[in-house]
Amino acid sequence: MGLTPVHFFSHGSTMMLGEKSESADYWKQCGDEALARNIKGVVIMGAHWDCLGDKIEVATNPNPDKSPVAYVHPDKYINYKLNPDLATAERCISLLSNEGFNVSANPTFDWIHDVYLILIHMFPAGCPPTTIVSMNARYDPHYHMKVGSTLRSLRRENYLIIGTGGAVHNLYRNRWAPMMRFRDNFAMETPPEEWALEFRQAIEDVITKTSGPQLRRAMTRLMKHPRFRDAHATDDHFMAAMFVAGAVGDFDDVGTAAVMAAESWELTNMCNSQFTFGSWDRGVAAA
């Protein structure tokens, strides 16, 4: 059996939950394809949950609530039933612990929009069994890449691995006025600034032109790119990309095709690029 595809999705602002977009259409397409292949579940790392020290956690709350979402009517998410996969969560804890991670269960964690925003668009008819893995607040790219590498074997069992963060995600350099005044997150009164365009192109080039261990090395080097700090004032939204690179950057993944299948610019300078590594029909690395 081939390995399942892996997604790196840029979830963008909270308004991406309530608005139609090319990105939302692509998320739904990916969800439909996953359901057609009868996935066992989703294993996902977001950008809004991290742990201090050297710790990492896996969500094990059997009845999680949802953190409120700004600028989105509650009808868009309040009635969506979450589906935590406790058995797979325990498997993830075991896999990570065996690799030396200081990992533990978190039985009180409530889900945040970076995760359920994606799930609602992908699976509007119902949430598949889902396991959420936290980040570590030191934001070490190699650490998060190893997390993805450790959980990569789940792809062989028909689990879908997703990282949800941002390609260009600097809240301090966004243009917020149209969203705050008119609830228009897609308004583009001016073109994106040069630094945003440059880093957006850099991440596309790395993802679509490298594979296997070369992908892992190139993704890590992006954090030394001269425009990285402009594009990411904080490192949290880039760690999901490192997690994905670990999950699809093994020697067996050499030659796996990756595409940037959709993109939505928000708030002038926020670039929500949507990437998929591999495919269900072909281009999936053999285990």
Side-chain angles (χ1 to χ4, degrees):
M1 181 181 186
L3 302 182
T4 55
V6 176
H7 302 298
F8 173 56
F9 290 150
S10 302
H11 60 255
S13 78
T14 56
M15 288 196 71
M16 290 292 287
L17 175 57
E19 302 300 317
K20 294 181 179 180
S21 66
E22 181 182 347
S23 292
D25 291 342
Y26 183 65
W27 295 333
K28 175 63 163 55
Q29 176 187 326
C30 293
D32 290 345
E33 291 174 346
L35 292 176
R37 273 37 178 226
N38 297 312
I39 59 165
K40 288 185 180 178
V42 173
V43 177
I44 189 167
M45 177 183 285
H48 293 197
W49 179 28
D50 53 32
C51 297
L52 299 176
D54 66 345
K55 287 194 63 176
I56 192 171
E57 293 181 342
V58 179
T60 58
N61 188 343
N63 295 294
D65 289 328
K66 305 184 196 75
S67 297
V69 182
Y71 299 105
V72 178
H73 195 282
D75 286 350
K76 296 288 186 179
Y77 65 92
I78 197 70
N79 294 319
Y80 189 77
K81 183 172 176 54
L82 305 178
N83 187 10
D85 187 347
L86 302 187
T88 302
E90 293 297 333
R91 284 198 62 201
C92 289
I93 291 170
S94 178
L95 288 168
L96 291 164
S97 178
N98 289 341
E99 284 298 313
F101 285 96
N102 181 7
V103 59
S104 60
N106 186 324
T108 63
F109 178 73
D110 291 326
W111 293 20
I112 305 172
H113 72 268
D114 58 332
V115 168
Y116 67 76
L117 181 158
I118 296 294
L119 294 172
I120 288 173
H121 279 298
M122 290 185 75
F123 309 104
C127 181
T130 299
T131 303
I132 306 176
V133 181
S134 82
M135 295 179 296
N136 175 266
R138 291 174 177 169
Y139 303 136
D140 180 339
H142 305 284
Y143 178 105
H144 292 84
M145 203 168 286
K146 186 178 177 182
V147 174
S149 177
T150 301
L151 300 181
R152 177 183 178 275
S153 62
L154 295 173
R155 296 174 57 204
R156 201 173 292 118
E157 302 175 34
N158 211 27
Y159 284 90
L160 188 66
I161 293 181
I162 301 173
T164 164
V168 176
H169 195 101
N170 185 343
L171 301 185
Y172 300 101
R173 304 194 73 172
N174 289 339
R175 307 287 178 84
W176 295 96
M179 176 174 161
M180 299 182 71
R181 294 180 63 191
F182 307 113
R183 298 296 188 267
D184 187 354
N185 54 317
F186 296 128
M188 297 289 284
E189 297 176 324
T190 61
E193 294 179 54
E194 177 272 339
W195 55 266
L197 292 166
E198 184 174 340
F199 192 78
R200 171 253 179 241
Q201 189 60 52
I203 191 172
E204 181 187 2
D205 289 345
V206 163
I207 288 176
T208 61
K209 296 179 180 179
T210 66
S211 64
Q214 185 184 22
L215 169 70
R216 292 179 179 174
R217 293 191 295 269
M219 289 295 289
T220 303
R221 284 198 303 272
L222 280 175
M223 295 187 71
K224 298 180 179 180
H225 190 284
R227 292 303 195 185
F228 176 78
R229 191 51 69 205
D230 294 313
H232 290 271
T234 56
D235 296 338
D236 43 11
H237 281 70
F238 206 65
M239 290 304 103
M242 296 301 174
F243 170 68
V244 163
V248 73
D250 194 85
F251 283 102
D252 286 339
D253 295 306
V254 171
T256 297
V259 296
M260 189 191 77
E263 190 169 77
S264 304
W265 284 89
E266 286 188 283
L267 310 170
T268 300
N269 288 325
M270 182 183 286
C271 184
N272 303 330
S273 303
Q274 316 305 334
F275 296 98
T276 295
F277 302 78
S279 69
W280 293 101
D281 299 318
R282 57 188 180 87
V284 180

